[in-house]
Amino acid sequence: MAKYFDVHPENPQRRTIGTVAESIRSGALIAYPTDSCFALGCQLGSRDGIDRIRSIRNLGDRHHFTLVCENFAQLGQFVHVDNDVFRAIKAATPGSYTFILPATKEVPRRLLHPKKKTVGVRIPDHAVASALLAELGEPMLSSTLLLPDEEEPMTQGWEIKERLDHVVDAVIDSGDCGTEPTTVIDFSEGEAEIVRRGAGDTTRFE
């Protein structure tokens, strides 16, 4: 049965955030709010977490997982970013964007796209997600909480708790969340390719 945490959207309670972060370090899979929509998250190296996300979302091996990072310095440890791409991404973060980039050796192989050796990265503009990442001290492996055969993500924490009670370990609720996933930009070839139009404005990448 999933634990349910009611967290203030702008000033998240430090003790609660600390409790959730500790559970992630212990292998928990959580549902948490972001600046786009709810997401599933677990520790970067958690094989069980990856398998559970794949199962919940019915994902194939070509799905790009996302490393949700606290800041740009952390992001730079896990992906290769040249100067031009650096400036483009820096100008758009934090925000509702996921960027696909060549991964460094810091990223576990099972998270990589099998052919391209790339991974998604993002820095959310959301107080609760930011506080959790700061407490963790490392990126969180993440994926949009969009269930198979459903067109839109769930927006209510209580609904997620009700429907996913036996497949996630914790739900963080900080009020209504958006229904639009992040905009996905692929920079793996050096030029911006818009893979998915979502919550982030694509104008700067066109």
Side-chain angles (χ1 to χ4, degrees), residues 110-132:
R110 60 184 172 274
L111 301 186
L112 304 180
H113 186 283
K115 286 189 175 180
K116 297 181 178 181
K117 307 305 180 191
T118 49
V119 71
V121 287
R122 95 178 197 86
I123 303 171
D125 186 14
H126 192 282
V128 175
S130 297
L132 184 56

PDB file of all heavy atoms in Angstrom, residues 110-132:
ATOM      1  N   ARG A 110      21.601   0.070 -18.827  1.00  0.00           N
ATOM      2  CA  ARG A 110      20.205  -0.342 -19.039  1.00  0.00           C
ATOM      3  C   ARG A 110      19.254   0.854 -19.191  1.00  0.00           C
ATOM      4  O   ARG A 110      18.101   0.679 -19.561  1.00  0.00           O
ATOM      5  CB  ARG A 110      19.734  -1.247 -17.901  1.00  0.00           C
ATOM      6  CG  ARG A 110      19.777  -0.641 -16.524  1.00  0.00           C
ATOM      7  CD  ARG A 110      19.372  -1.678 -15.471  1.00  0.00           C
ATOM      8  NE  ARG A 110      19.580  -1.203 -14.108  1.00  0.00           N
ATOM      9  CZ  ARG A 110      20.721  -1.308 -13.457  1.00  0.00           C
ATOM     10  NH1 ARG A 110      21.761  -1.864 -14.046  1.00  0.00           N
ATOM     11  NH2 ARG A 110      20.827  -0.873 -12.222  1.00  0.00           N
ATOM     12  N   LEU A 111      19.733   2.075 -18.913  1.00  0.00           N
ATOM     13  CA  LEU A 111      18.900   3.267 -19.100  1.00  0.00           C
ATOM     14  C   LEU A 111      19.047   3.862 -20.488  1.00  0.00           C
ATOM     15  O   LEU A 111      18.278   4.726 -20.883  1.00  0.00           O
ATOM     16  CB  LEU A 111      19.279   4.346 -18.071  1.00  0.00           C
ATOM     17  CG  LEU A 111      19.165   3.986 -16.606  1.00  0.00           C
ATOM     18  CD1 LEU A 111      19.432   5.216 -15.759  1.00  0.00           C
ATOM     19  CD2 LEU A 111      17.790   3.431 -16.291  1.00  0.00           C
ATOM     20  N   LEU A 112      20.058   3.410 -21.233  1.00  0.00           N
ATOM     21  CA  LEU A 112      20.362   4.028 -22.514  1.00  0.00           C
ATOM     22  C   LEU A 112      19.484   3.486 -23.633  1.00  0.00           C
ATOM     23  O   LEU A 112      19.056   2.337 -23.606  1.00  0.00           O
ATOM     24  CB  LEU A 112      21.830   3.773 -22.876  1.00  0.00           C
ATOM     25  CG  LEU A 112      22.889   4.225 -21.872  1.00  0.00           C
ATOM     26  CD1 LEU A 112      24.272   3.896 -22.398  1.00  0.00           C
ATOM     27  CD2 LEU A 112      22.760   5.708 -21.570  1.00  0.00           C
ATOM     28  N   HIS A 113      19.264   4.332 -24.633  1.00  0.00           N
ATOM     29  CA  HIS A 113      18.661   3.847 -25.870  1.00  0.00           C
ATOM     30  C   HIS A 113      19.627   2.811 -26.447  1.00  0.00           C
ATOM     31  O   HIS A 113      20.831   3.068 -26.557  1.00  0.00           O
ATOM     32  CB  HIS A 113      18.476   5.001 -26.850  1.00  0.00           C
ATOM     33  CG  HIS A 113      17.737   4.633 -28.090  1.00  0.00           C
ATOM     34  ND1 HIS A 113      18.330   3.940 -29.124  1.00  0.00           N
ATOM     35  CD2 HIS A 113      16.443   4.850 -28.470  1.00  0.00           C
ATOM     36  CE1 HIS A 113      17.445   3.749 -30.087  1.00  0.00           C
ATOM     37  NE2 HIS A 113      16.294   4.286 -29.723  1.00  0.00           N
ATOM     38  N   PRO A 114      19.141   1.609 -26.806  1.00  0.00           N
ATOM     39  CA  PRO A 114      20.051   0.511 -27.155  1.00  0.00           C
ATOM     40  C   PRO A 114      20.964   0.791 -28.347  1.00  0.00           C
ATOM     41  O   PRO A 114      22.072   0.263 -28.414  1.00  0.00           O
ATOM     42  CB  PRO A 114      19.102  -0.655 -27.446  1.00  0.00           C
ATOM     43  CG  PRO A 114      17.767  -0.033 -27.684  1.00  0.00           C
ATOM     44  CD  PRO A 114      17.734   1.202 -26.863  1.00  0.00           C
ATOM     45  N   LYS A 115      20.524   1.627 -29.282  1.00  0.00           N
ATOM     46  CA  LYS A 115      21.352   1.903 -30.459  1.00  0.00           C
ATOM     47  C   LYS A 115      22.086   3.239 -30.344  1.00  0.00           C
ATOM     48  O   LYS A 115      23.264   3.355 -30.655  1.00  0.00           O
ATOM     49  CB  LYS A 115      20.487   1.901 -31.734  1.00  0.00           C
ATOM     50  CG  LYS A 115      20.053   0.510 -32.168  1.00  0.00           C
ATOM     51  CD  LYS A 115      19.403   0.556 -33.537  1.00  0.00           C
ATOM     52  CE  LYS A 115      19.071  -0.863 -34.023  1.00  0.00           C
ATOM     53  NZ  LYS A 115      18.440  -0.830 -35.369  1.00  0.00           N
ATOM     54  N   LYS A 116      21.384   4.262 -29.877  1.00  0.00           N
ATOM     55  CA  LYS A 116      21.956   5.606 -29.890  1.00  0.00           C
ATOM     56  C   LYS A 116      22.839   5.913 -28.679  1.00  0.00           C
ATOM     57  O   LYS A 116      23.622   6.849 -28.688  1.00  0.00           O
ATOM     58  CB  LYS A 116      20.830   6.651 -29.952  1.00  0.00           C
ATOM     59  CG  LYS A 116      19.992   6.572 -31.219  1.00  0.00           C
ATOM     60  CD  LYS A 116      18.929   7.658 -31.196  1.00  0.00           C
ATOM     61  CE  LYS A 116      18.088   7.648 -32.458  1.00  0.00           C
ATOM     62  NZ  LYS A 116      17.070   8.724 -32.450  1.00  0.00           N
ATOM     63  N   LYS A 117      22.698   5.121 -27.603  1.00  0.00           N
ATOM     64  CA  LYS A 117      23.437   5.365 -26.352  1.00  0.00           C
ATOM     65  C   LYS A 117      23.151   6.780 -25.812  1.00  0.00           C
ATOM     66  O   LYS A 117      24.039   7.498 -25.365  1.00  0.00           O
ATOM     67  CB  LYS A 117      24.943   5.178 -26.545  1.00  0.00           C
ATOM     68  CG  LYS A 117      25.320   3.834 -27.159  1.00  0.00           C
ATOM     69  CD  LYS A 117      24.759   2.670 -26.358  1.00  0.00           C
ATOM     70  CE  LYS A 117      25.138   1.332 -26.988  1.00  0.00           C
ATOM     71  NZ  LYS A 117      24.408   0.188 -26.395  1.00  0.00           N
ATOM     72  N   THR A 118      21.890   7.142 -25.897  1.00  0.00           N
ATOM     73  CA  THR A 118      21.447   8.448 -25.427  1.00  0.00           C
ATOM     74  C   THR A 118      20.509   8.285 -24.237  1.00  0.00           C
ATOM     75  O   THR A 118      20.004   7.192 -23.967  1.00  0.00           O
ATOM     76  CB  THR A 118      20.699   9.199 -26.551  1.00  0.00           C
ATOM     77  OG1 THR A 118      19.714   8.322 -27.125  1.00  0.00           O
ATOM     78  CG2 THR A 118      21.654   9.657 -27.638  1.00  0.00           C
ATOM     79  N   VAL A 119      20.267   9.398 -23.557  1.00  0.00           N
ATOM     80  CA  VAL A 119      19.348   9.399 -22.423  1.00  0.00           C
ATOM     81  C   VAL A 119      18.680  10.770 -22.355  1.00  0.00           C
ATOM     82  O   VAL A 119      19.227  11.764 -22.864  1.00  0.00           O
ATOM     83  CB  VAL A 119      20.101   9.080 -21.101  1.00  0.00           C
ATOM     84  CG1 VAL A 119      20.989  10.242 -20.668  1.00  0.00           C
ATOM     85  CG2 VAL A 119      19.134   8.685 -19.983  1.00  0.00           C
ATOM     86  N   GLY A 120      17.495  10.824 -21.771  1.00  0.00           N
ATOM     87  CA  GLY A 120      16.811  12.099 -21.571  1.00  0.00           C
ATOM     88  C   GLY A 120      17.246  12.743 -20.261  1.00  0.00           C
ATOM     89  O   GLY A 120      17.509  12.051 -19.277  1.00  0.00           O
ATOM     90  N   VAL A 121      17.343  14.073 -20.262  1.00  0.00           N
ATOM     91  CA  VAL A 121      17.656  14.811 -19.040  1.00  0.00           C
ATOM     92  C   VAL A 121      16.744  16.025 -18.947  1.00  0.00           C
ATOM     93  O   VAL A 121      16.327  16.571 -19.966  1.00  0.00           O
ATOM     94  CB  VAL A 121      19.132  15.283 -18.985  1.00  0.00           C
ATOM     95  CG1 VAL A 121      20.074  14.124 -18.737  1.00  0.00           C
ATOM     96  CG2 VAL A 121      19.527  16.024 -20.260  1.00  0.00           C
ATOM     97  N   ARG A 122      16.456  16.424 -17.711  1.00  0.00           N
ATOM     98  CA  ARG A 122      15.660  17.635 -17.547  1.00  0.00           C
ATOM     99  C   ARG A 122      15.830  18.236 -16.169  1.00  0.00           C
ATOM    100  O   ARG A 122      16.216  17.538 -15.216  1.00  0.00           O
ATOM    101  CB  ARG A 122      14.201  17.373 -17.874  1.00  0.00           C
ATOM    102  CG  ARG A 122      13.234  17.041 -16.753  1.00  0.00           C
ATOM    103  CD  ARG A 122      11.857  16.887 -17.387  1.00  0.00           C
ATOM    104  NE  ARG A 122      10.720  16.957 -16.474  1.00  0.00           N
ATOM    105  CZ  ARG A 122      10.122  18.082 -16.092  1.00  0.00           C
ATOM    106  NH1 ARG A 122      10.583  19.259 -16.467  1.00  0.00           N
ATOM    107  NH2 ARG A 122       9.058  18.055 -15.304  1.00  0.00           N
ATOM    108  N   ILE A 123      15.561  19.542 -16.069  1.00  0.00           N
ATOM    109  CA  ILE A 123      15.607  20.269 -14.802  1.00  0.00           C
ATOM    110  C   ILE A 123      14.237  20.910 -14.613  1.00  0.00           C
ATOM    111  O   ILE A 123      13.893  21.866 -15.308  1.00  0.00           O
ATOM    112  CB  ILE A 123      16.703  21.357 -14.810  1.00  0.00           C
ATOM    113  CG1 ILE A 123      18.071  20.740 -15.110  1.00  0.00           C
ATOM    114  CG2 ILE A 123      16.726  22.092 -13.468  1.00  0.00           C
ATOM    115  CD1 ILE A 123      19.167  21.758 -15.353  1.00  0.00           C
ATOM    116  N   PRO A 124      13.418  20.382 -13.716  1.00  0.00           N
ATOM    117  CA  PRO A 124      12.054  20.897 -13.568  1.00  0.00           C
ATOM    118  C   PRO A 124      12.000  22.234 -12.838  1.00  0.00           C
ATOM    119  O   PRO A 124      12.849  22.537 -12.002  1.00  0.00           O
ATOM    120  CB  PRO A 124      11.358  19.807 -12.740  1.00  0.00           C
ATOM    121  CG  PRO A 124      12.461  19.184 -11.942  1.00  0.00           C
ATOM    122  CD  PRO A 124      13.689  19.248 -12.809  1.00  0.00           C
ATOM    123  N   ASP A 125      10.984  23.007 -13.161  1.00  0.00           N
ATOM    124  CA  ASP A 125      10.732  24.282 -12.487  1.00  0.00           C
ATOM    125  C   ASP A 125       9.544  24.079 -11.551  1.00  0.00           C
ATOM    126  O   ASP A 125       8.435  24.550 -11.813  1.00  0.00           O
ATOM    127  CB  ASP A 125      10.450  25.365 -13.534  1.00  0.00           C
ATOM    128  CG  ASP A 125      10.332  26.752 -12.914  1.00  0.00           C
ATOM    129  OD1 ASP A 125      10.731  26.910 -11.743  1.00  0.00           O
ATOM    130  OD2 ASP A 125       9.846  27.668 -13.607  1.00  0.00           O
ATOM    131  N   HIS A 126       9.779  23.338 -10.474  1.00  0.00           N
ATOM    132  CA  HIS A 126       8.704  22.978  -9.533  1.00  0.00           C
ATOM    133  C   HIS A 126       9.308  22.851  -8.145  1.00  0.00           C
ATOM    134  O   HIS A 126      10.266  22.097  -7.947  1.00  0.00           O
ATOM    135  CB  HIS A 126       8.054  21.661  -9.965  1.00  0.00           C
ATOM    136  CG  HIS A 126       6.785  21.346  -9.242  1.00  0.00           C
ATOM    137  ND1 HIS A 126       6.761  20.836  -7.960  1.00  0.00           N
ATOM    138  CD2 HIS A 126       5.486  21.478  -9.629  1.00  0.00           C
ATOM    139  CE1 HIS A 126       5.507  20.660  -7.591  1.00  0.00           C
ATOM    140  NE2 HIS A 126       4.716  21.039  -8.579  1.00  0.00           N
ATOM    141  N   ALA A 127       8.760  23.566  -7.190  1.00  0.00           N
ATOM    142  CA  ALA A 127       9.363  23.646  -5.855  1.00  0.00           C
ATOM    143  C   ALA A 127       9.484  22.287  -5.175  1.00  0.00           C
ATOM    144  O   ALA A 127      10.502  21.996  -4.526  1.00  0.00           O
ATOM    145  CB  ALA A 127       8.547  24.597  -4.974  1.00  0.00           C
ATOM    146  N   VAL A 128       8.479  21.442  -5.312  1.00  0.00           N
ATOM    147  CA  VAL A 128       8.495  20.146  -4.636  1.00  0.00           C
ATOM    148  C   VAL A 128       9.539  19.226  -5.270  1.00  0.00           C
ATOM    149  O   VAL A 128      10.349  18.608  -4.578  1.00  0.00           O
ATOM    150  CB  VAL A 128       7.099  19.491  -4.665  1.00  0.00           C
ATOM    151  CG1 VAL A 128       7.154  18.082  -4.074  1.00  0.00           C
ATOM    152  CG2 VAL A 128       6.091  20.348  -3.913  1.00  0.00           C
ATOM    153  N   ALA A 129       9.528  19.146  -6.599  1.00  0.00           N
ATOM    154  CA  ALA A 129      10.515  18.317  -7.289  1.00  0.00           C
ATOM    155  C   ALA A 129      11.931  18.812  -6.999  1.00  0.00           C
ATOM    156  O   ALA A 129      12.845  18.007  -6.754  1.00  0.00           O
ATOM    157  CB  ALA A 129      10.245  18.324  -8.789  1.00  0.00           C
ATOM    158  N   SER A 130      12.126  20.123  -7.003  1.00  0.00           N
ATOM    159  CA  SER A 130      13.455  20.689  -6.744  1.00  0.00           C
ATOM    160  C   SER A 130      13.929  20.373  -5.336  1.00  0.00           C
ATOM    161  O   SER A 130      15.105  20.034  -5.124  1.00  0.00           O
ATOM    162  CB  SER A 130      13.429  22.203  -6.960  1.00  0.00           C
ATOM    163  OG  SER A 130      13.118  22.525  -8.304  1.00  0.00           O
ATOM    164  N   ALA A 131      13.029  20.486  -4.367  1.00  0.00           N
ATOM    165  CA  ALA A 131      13.390  20.185  -2.978  1.00  0.00           C
ATOM    166  C   ALA A 131      13.766  18.720  -2.815  1.00  0.00           C
ATOM    167  O   ALA A 131      14.729  18.379  -2.113  1.00  0.00           O
ATOM    168  CB  ALA A 131      12.226  20.535  -2.049  1.00  0.00           C
ATOM    169  N   LEU A 132      13.043  17.847  -3.485  1.00  0.00           N
ATOM    170  CA  LEU A 132      13.320  16.414  -3.400  1.00  0.00           C
ATOM    171  C   LEU A 132      14.680  16.086  -4.032  1.00  0.00           C
ATOM    172  O   LEU A 132      15.470  15.321  -3.466  1.00  0.00           O
ATOM    173  CB  LEU A 132      12.204  15.639  -4.097  1.00  0.00           C
ATOM    174  CG  LEU A 132      12.262  14.110  -4.032  1.00  0.00           C
ATOM    175  CD1 LEU A 132      12.323  13.626  -2.591  1.00  0.00           C
ATOM    176  CD2 LEU A 132      11.060  13.506  -4.742  1.00  0.00           C
TER     177      LEU A 132
END
